[in-house]
Amino acid sequence: MDITAPLPPASADDPTFLAAAACALLDPSGLGPIDCVPLIPEAARRRHRVFVPADHRFKAAARFLQALWREDRGLAIGTHVDRREPHRPRRLGSRVSTAAGTLGANFLHPDIVPVVARALAYREPGAAYGVDRLKTNLLSSQPLAFNLFGLLTSNPTLATRFVNELLPGTMTHVTDILFEHSPGRGDPRFTADRTAYDVVLRGRDATGARVLLCIEMKYSEAGNEPAPPPHPRHAEIARATPGLFVDPDDPTLTGPGCQQLYRQHCLASAMLTAGLADKATLVLIAPTHNQLAHAAATTYTRQLTDPQAGPIPFVPLALEHAFAAIATAGLPNHARALHCRYTDWWLVDGELDLAAASTPAASAEATAPPPEPDTFVHIATHAPARTTQPGRSRKHTVAPPNRAA
């Protein structure tokens, strides 16, 4: 895969050309963004071995998309072990086999695999890595973090271009990228607990100030997952950071929808107090259609005095925006691979169309004689574009890469 294939040359008369070209890379069939992810029938989910009753709508669609991605690449299916029934592992379409995972099948480019290996070898004490989950769980946000940022780790210039596209004005130079980072889990100088970030970018801004971009990644997670009760240190930090929270003692901050971002904001404040940087920004990245994660971010934003210009800005971003930034920074083919893997919901739509077309009823309709000239036929199941746009079928949009897995 050529990860540095150039974008079309920019036009001097159109300064937004590169951004538009990057977005076009993520919509090769010209269908535009999909309005919402479909509610996938149980039969289809079972057929692809991804029926999990507890999944909310977006998670079910994301799990389905990961199964399609795995199938199109001929990767062996993996298994899931329920802790309540450890002796009854089940095959799960959103996982790859242990053998495939060991060979790096969960990562979108061979150069990401050594980045993961180094991160694991030099992991921080107490870092929350589940190695099997990282290597075999296609749905996990942890491999997504490596897939998004892994190729930037060895190229500070590329990383800086990416940040300038993602968050203009925050950094003029990226010095390093850390995964699953905390300055000290359990350390009372910070939050005295296990709070950490999925990714941290360190660098400097135009004034020479040391800057941290502290990133929380969400893919299918709802953003309201349960967590242990907050440590008293959090409230202490919150009260000691003027201008950050509207009311640092508001119980909403420690509720399910806000607690993780609250803890991470407190950690960023403690890092600044400890002199680890001069400025920090907390960033949440989640797919556009993960409405639960973005709703949690909206609830949290209301608790902040000034989300954009406060002492530690909070910026929720769409995952698709990050993919466009990767393309514009200089990795358009990698951006395509990211989009195909994580956010091309037309592949799900096309698979559902293919399944509907293969049903006995559809077959009977296809072989039925045409109606008389004066007969009015009303078909309400699909819009005409679904049968005239081949790009809606994943068979026409997926080209498995040539790589061993």
Side-chain angles (χ1 to χ4, degrees), residues 141-334:
S141 59
Q142 198 163 69
L144 167 59
F146 282 99
N147 280 327
L148 179 57
F149 291 94
L151 293 180
L152 306 178
T153 58
S154 61
N155 192 329
T157 300
L158 188 65
T160 299
R161 289 204 301 263
F162 168 75
V163 170
N164 287 337
E165 294 294 333
L166 189 72
L167 293 164
T170 56
M171 278 187 184
T172 56
H173 181 61
V174 175
T175 56
D176 53 354
I177 300 175
L178 308 174
F179 294 94
E180 193 59 35
H181 176 63
S182 168
R185 291 169 180 81
D187 191 329
R189 292 180 302 160
F190 302 108
T191 55
D193 65 357
R194 297 175 62 84
T195 299
Y197 305 106
D198 291 322
V199 184
V200 172
L201 280 71
R202 297 193 295 201
R204 293 185 180 270
D205 68 7
T207 70
R210 297 167 301 158
V211 180
L212 299 175
L213 295 182
C214 306
I215 299 172
E216 172 63 22
M217 299 289 304
K218 300 290 185 190
Y219 182 51
S220 64
E221 300 89 347
N224 57 5
E225 292 78 18
H231 193 279
R233 177 71 174 129
H234 298 149
E236 181 182 332
I237 296 170
R239 296 183 191 121
T241 310
L244 183 56
F245 299 110
V246 174
D247 178 1
D249 296 309
D250 190 325
T252 304
L253 290 168
T254 56
C258 295
Q259 56 82 22
Q260 185 178 32
L261 296 171
Y262 167 67
R263 289 187 290 108
Q264 291 177 333
H265 234 149
C266 289
L267 178 58
S269 178
M271 292 167 74
L272 296 181
T273 300
L276 301 184
D278 303 307
K279 298 179 180 179
T281 297
L282 178 61
V283 182
L284 172 72
I285 300 178
T288 297
H289 293 303
N290 188 342
Q291 297 177 354
L292 293 174
H294 285 289
T298 299
T299 299
Y300 182 70
T301 300
R302 296 192 188 105
Q303 303 298 314
L304 302 176
T305 303
D306 190 337
Q308 296 181 331
I312 304 171
F314 171 60
V315 184
L317 293 173
L319 182 60
E320 294 87 339
H321 179 66
F323 294 168
I326 284 284
T328 308
L331 298 179
N333 282 356
H334 188 59

Side-chain angles (χ1 to χ4, degrees), residues 19 80 95 101 122 132 186 195 213 227 294 352 364 391 394:
H80 168 70
R95 285 180 177 263
Y122 288 92
D132 179 69
T195 299
L213 295 182
H294 285 289
L352 296 180
R394 69 187 182 95

